Amino acid sequence: MSAVAIEGVWKFYGDYPALRDVRLEAERGACLALIGRNGAGKTTLLRVVAGFSRPGRGKVQIFGNEPRETETRRQMGFIGHGISVYDELSAFENLMLYAKLYNLPNPKKSAMEWLERTGLERVRNGLVREFSRGMRQRLAVARAFLHEPTVLLLDEPFTALDDKAITVLQKLLKEALAAGKTIVMSTHQLREALELATHVALLNRGQVAFHGPRTPEMVSDPGYVYARYGEG
Amino acid sequence: MGFFRQALVITVKDLRAEIRTKEAINASFAFALVILVLFSFAFDPLEDTTRDISGGLLWIVFAFAGTLILNRSFARELPNDCLDALIAAPISGAALFLGKSVANYLLLLAVELVSLPVFGIFYNVRWTTQFWQLMLVLVLGTWGLTLIGTFCSALTVNIRLREVMLPMLTYPALVPVLMGSMQLTMTLMAGKPIGPDMVPWLKLLAGFDLVFTAASLVLVEIVLVG
Amino acid sequence: MRNNILYGLGAAVILLLVRDINLIAGFPQEASQGAIFKIIFFHVPMAITAMLCSSVALIASVMFLITRNFKYDAVAVAVTEVGLAFLLGNLVTGSIWARIIWGVWWAWDVRLTSALVCWLLYAGYLMLRRAIEEPTQRAVFAACFSIFAFIDVPIVYLSIRLFRTQHPGPVFFTSNGSFPPDWTAAIFGPLGTLMALMMLATVLTVIRLSQEDSQRELDSLRRMAHAM
């Protein structure tokens, strides 16, 4: 059973199909990079996989379950465009909030552990609105990893990050892959993404234009996939 | 984790964030104060007139002031895309909605409880004579107000002109709640207890609260996830 | 084909209305109210048609949420708009009647007030639709609000009835029989005004429906063009 199976997914905005018959799979321990131009449907697809919006046709299965099932959501980590933490709460309070929502056995311990892993334990009682950009992003990473998800969905994870946050995130993602977790990410940062990716899918106007394992050519020339398969 | 504990986590989160900034609650109370003052120019604030329209006056103040709190409710989740993370978490839309509603409810009740003595002083009304019955009306009426308001807050969170749309959607829907609360409050302000002739209004309030609590808990998952 | 049926239905509506107006004009004047009483032949069926429209809107909204087929969303919005127009007609005729009989344009009585609140509720529905850009989200949110509005209508009516009552009571089908049977037939009969207005509502809804379909097609073409 694949970790993430996208089976013939269509998504409509009115009559306009933003996703057309998308079929993709990611095995346990795989990292699937979704690439494509703006408006190709990468974010839409990730939101459907995450269960934020329902597909018009087709279905998504995460370890054989629907995305909206409680059990699935417990296994899923999502990093979107925003940092998804509250400016008015402290770093610790933010992580405690999510730890409680995910019903972690020891919320305090998990929160402290992730503050430490993202280098925020010194400022744990500071309000997020006083944080620098980099600190906010690291907290966002801590928030997404807090409940030890087995499937990670990342929407443009490297775009807004500073160097330190990129380092933290890449280290975490490599560890996650090594531990057999599954990653699906959309990205423009081909170099960072292709280094991690085991598979690549190119979306073009809501359709899968290419899907296959990452090859050495792609790493040496990030424009290779586009040149070869896309945008004719 | 139980449904109600999840809702409680959300309530505590919303209240904590609100108490840190006091944005909504300050604005709401200041607004209530301004309307209370403005009303004194609209009519001669003599004891008799005031008593006659006290119910209407108070609930219009509450409805206006409440809108400011309700507008912030889901808008609070916008700046950092927090709503995504909440929806991704293993908590039902209904629990999320209930948690947010209860937070709004407590905030609005607080504004109302502070507005009441101010009203009493400005308009020389002895509002405490039927204190507990007044509290009952406040508790029932405000829940209806909050419930419809929070639901519409979820409906309008993503749209332009959010601040205008919310009252446009909520006030017509709230006619039964406002009317019932106004009638009951008027009687109580006149120092009379709720007699048998007023019981239908209490039933109406309770019924409205029940029906719409059920309806919103069923529908909110669709609103949040599509 | 669909258009031909529509034209046929439209022609039938016009014929029926001409026939009804002719018939109603021929009735003798009511003893106490005079000619203005005849407004009832349109006032009442308009209210009934509007109520039917809101029921259809409810069914269409629920069906949309179940099937996610945009046809139902189009039905919901079309029928709501038509219903609002009929409710407006009901309010205006009621208001004219009140001016002549009660001497005021507006009397805040139970049914007029309920009708006005309902009108505002469903006007809110249309405003909500206008404010939401993305078609799927618009349809879902609007459907939810429509269900809310429908649940609210009876409670609104109940509350306003508790508040005051000044409106003349229902005069149809009652045993004291102040309303002659041929007058009742002029409204509720198979060729009566109710049937005519319901057919008119159907025609308008179908026209609005095809507009809504074209609108959606246009919107999708525009998105397609942006995606190029």
Side-chain angles (χ1 to χ4, degrees):
Chain A
M1 181 172 52
S2 1
V4 178
I6 303 165
E7 298 166 2
V9 163
W10 292 70
K11 174 77 193 172
F12 295 92
Y13 293 130
D15 281 353
Y16 172 68
L19 295 177
R20 303 179 220 194
D21 199 22
V22 173
R23 292 168 194 278
L24 292 171
E25 268 178 36
E27 299 299 325
R28 212 182 289 251
C31 172
L32 174 64
L34 298 170
I35 61 174
R37 289 197 306 183
N38 280 337
K42 305 189 295 291
T43 297
T44 309
L45 181 59
L46 270 176
R47 293 185 70 84
V48 170
V49 174
F52 296 163
S53 77
R54 253 169 238 174
R57 260 182 259 158
K59 63 179 176 181
V60 171
Q61 295 213 305
I62 311 243
F63 292 113
N65 292 321
E66 296 281 313
R68 285 304 293 163
E69 271 171 43
T70 314
E71 206 32 59
T72 319
R73 282 193 267 171
R74 226 181 277 288
Q75 301 177 359
M76 203 156 56
F78 183 85
I79 301 185
H81 293 235
I83 56 173
S84 295
V85 286
Y86 294 88
D87 288 337
E88 300 86 8
L89 302 183
S90 72
F92 180 66
E93 283 166 344
N94 265 302
L95 293 189
M96 278 298 278
L97 165 71
Y98 286 106
K100 282 182 191 156
L101 288 180
Y102 280 94
N103 202 14
L104 300 183
N106 192 343
K108 209 171 214 163
K109 186 165 154 279
S110 312
M112 290 307 287
E113 183 193 329
W114 279 98
L115 285 170
E116 208 169 301
R117 290 182 77 163
T118 48
L120 291 170
E121 78 270 40
R122 213 169 38 80
V123 290
R124 65 174 181 271
N125 290 323
L127 296 189
V128 172
R129 65 163 176 245
E130 294 152 359
F131 280 15
S132 74
R133 213 177 138 91
M135 286 153 77
R136 293 158 70 93
Q137 288 153 350
R138 274 181 279 145
L139 182 60
V141 171
R143 193 269 307 153
F145 280 82
L146 181 69
H147 58 287
E148 314 272 339
T150 49
V151 173
L152 284 156
L153 306 171
L154 315 171
D155 194 5
E156 305 283 355
F158 301 111
T159 304
L161 300 195
D162 67 359
D163 289 346
K164 185 163 182 191
I166 288 187
T167 320
V168 169
L169 181 59
Q170 270 189 322
K171 181 163 164 278
L172 286 174
L173 291 179
K174 273 178 195 153
E175 283 172 17
L177 282 179
K181 295 176 180 176
T182 311
I183 302 175
V184 179
M185 67 167 124
S186 77
T187 186
H188 277 122
Q189 249 81 344
L190 290 178
R191 209 173 294 275
E192 278 91 354
L194 290 180
E195 207 183 309
L196 279 170
T198 58
H199 292 76
V200 174
L202 173 66
L203 283 180
N204 185 14
R205 280 177 219 153
Q207 277 174 308
V208 181
F210 167 78
H211 175 211
R214 186 209 62 175
T215 58
E217 295 99 308
M218 295 180 191
V219 186
S220 53
D221 173 18
Y224 173 81
V225 188
Y226 279 99
R228 175 108 203 247
Y229 300 98
E231 329 284 295
Chain B
M1 185 166 45
F3 179 84
F4 290 102
R5 271 195 50 207
Q6 290 179 329
L8 185 69
V9 170
I10 298 289
T11 305
V12 169
K13 184 270 296 179
D14 265 15
L15 286 179
R16 185 176 278 157
E18 176 52 39
I19 285 162
R20 289 256 159 85
T21 58
K22 301 190 188 65
E23 271 171 22
I25 199 160
N26 278 352
S28 174
F29 179 63
F31 193 47
L33 204 61
V34 169
I35 309 171
L36 276 175
V37 172
L38 281 185
F39 266 125
S40 73
F41 306 126
F43 60 93
D44 198 7
L46 293 171
E47 215 173 319
D48 288 350
T49 10
T50 311
R51 199 173 291 146
D52 282 349
I53 63 162
S54 57
L57 194 157
L58 274 173
W59 281 94
I60 287 175
V61 170
F62 295 163
F64 283 8
T67 308
L68 295 190
I69 290 175
L70 296 165
N71 251 329
R72 285 286 302 150
S73 180
F74 273 87
R76 189 191 307 288
E77 311 290 341
L78 281 186
N80 294 333
D81 286 344
C82 290
L83 199 52
D84 279 352
L86 290 184
I87 292 172
I91 151 177
S92 70
L96 174 60
F97 174 79
L98 190 67
K100 289 189 99 49
S101 299
V102 171
N104 294 334
Y105 183 57
L106 296 176
L107 290 172
L108 185 51
L109 274 180
V111 170
E112 290 174 355
L113 284 177
V114 182
S115 304
L116 269 173
V118 176
F119 166 78
I121 291 166
F122 276 6
Y123 292 90
N124 195 24
V125 171
R126 291 189 53 216
W127 59 280
T128 45
T129 44
Q130 301 290 343
F131 184 79
W132 292 111
Q133 296 200 352
L134 184 64
M135 288 304 113
L136 176 68
V137 174
L138 223 55
V139 161
L140 287 176
T142 309
W143 180 245
L145 187 73
T146 318
L147 202 63
I148 298 279
T150 311
F151 190 81
C152 290
S153 171
L155 284 180
T156 54
V157 64
N158 276 321
I159 67 183
R160 52 180 197 265
L161 297 177
R162 182 179 62 229
E163 285 82 2
V164 189
M165 281 305 294
L166 185 64
M168 276 301 304
L169 296 181
T170 46
Y171 292 158
L174 281 172
V175 162
V177 171
L178 291 178
M179 212 152 49
S181 307
M182 284 172 181
Q183 294 298 310
L184 289 163
T185 307
M186 203 169 69
T187 311
L188 295 172
M189 284 288 167
K192 285 179 271 184
I194 299 173
D197 56 324
M198 290 312 249
V199 169
W201 286 114
L202 269 185
K203 283 186 185 158
L204 182 89
L205 279 186
F208 186 97
D209 288 358
L210 271 177
V211 167
F212 278 98
T213 306
S216 19
L217 289 181
V218 170
L219 285 177
V220 76
E221 180 85 18
I222 302 173
V223 170
L224 292 176
V225 188
Chain C
M1 181 59 196
R2 187 166 133 179
N3 273 347
N4 283 340
I5 296 176
L6 198 60
Y7 294 145
L9 209 59
V13 168
I14 292 170
L15 284 175
L16 209 55
L17 279 175
V18 168
R19 179 235 172 224
D20 285 341
I21 291 171
N22 210 18
L23 180 76
I24 291 161
F27 286 154
Q29 295 202 349
E30 204 259 351
S32 57
Q33 296 188 358
I36 188 65
F37 179 78
K38 288 181 182 172
I39 225 168
I40 199 173
F41 289 103
F42 290 92
H43 176 73
V44 171
M46 276 191 206
I48 295 174
T49 312
M51 270 196 282
L52 275 175
C53 285
S54 80
S55 314
V56 175
L58 173 81
I59 294 166
S61 299
V62 172
M63 286 304 287
F64 172 78
L65 289 181
I66 294 170
T67 63
R68 301 299 163 123
N69 184 340
F70 278 90
K71 287 269 179 246
Y72 291 112
D73 179 55
V75 171
V77 60
V79 91
T80 304
E81 283 185 8
V82 172
L84 271 175
F86 276 85
L87 197 54
L88 187 66
N90 171 261
L91 284 170
V92 170
T93 50
S95 182
I96 293 170
W97 183 86
R99 178 76 183 92
I100 307 266
I101 299 300
W102 294 337
V104 287
W105 288 110
W106 192 264
W108 294 114
D109 86 297
V110 182
R111 266 165 276 176
L112 272 185
T113 313
S114 310
L116 181 62
V117 174
C118 292
W119 198 88
L120 289 172
L121 257 176
Y122 280 99
Y125 168 91
L126 293 182
M127 283 184 59
L128 179 67
R129 292 190 68 96
R130 277 191 168 231
I132 303 175
E133 207 65 53
E134 202 269 282
T136 307
Q137 194 182 43
R138 174 170 58 220
V140 171
F141 281 21
C144 289
F145 187 76
S146 186
I147 295 172
F148 248 60
F150 190 85
I151 300 175
D152 210 23
V153 169
I155 310 183
V156 166
Y157 180 75
L158 209 72
S159 67
I160 297 173
R161 203 184 58 183
L162 259 176
F163 193 52
R164 63 186 85 176
T165 177
Q166 201 184 346
H167 202 89
V171 285
F172 308 105
F173 310 126
T174 47
S175 51
N176 47 8
S178 65
F179 212 74
D182 56 332
W183 289 22
T184 307
I187 298 181
F188 296 104
L191 295 176
T193 47
L194 179 61
M195 178 52 86
L197 290 181
M198 273 170 24
M199 276 164 66
L200 179 62
T202 313
V203 171
L204 291 175
T205 305
V206 173
I207 294 174
R208 188 63 189 79
L209 207 60
S210 62
Q211 274 181 354
E212 194 65 21
D213 284 344
S214 324
Q215 182 66 46
R216 217 171 52 246
E217 203 172 322
L218 222 91
D219 182 83
S220 107
L221 287 174
R222 236 186 19 245
R223 276 165 197 277
M224 209 94 82
H226 290 319
M228 290 299 211

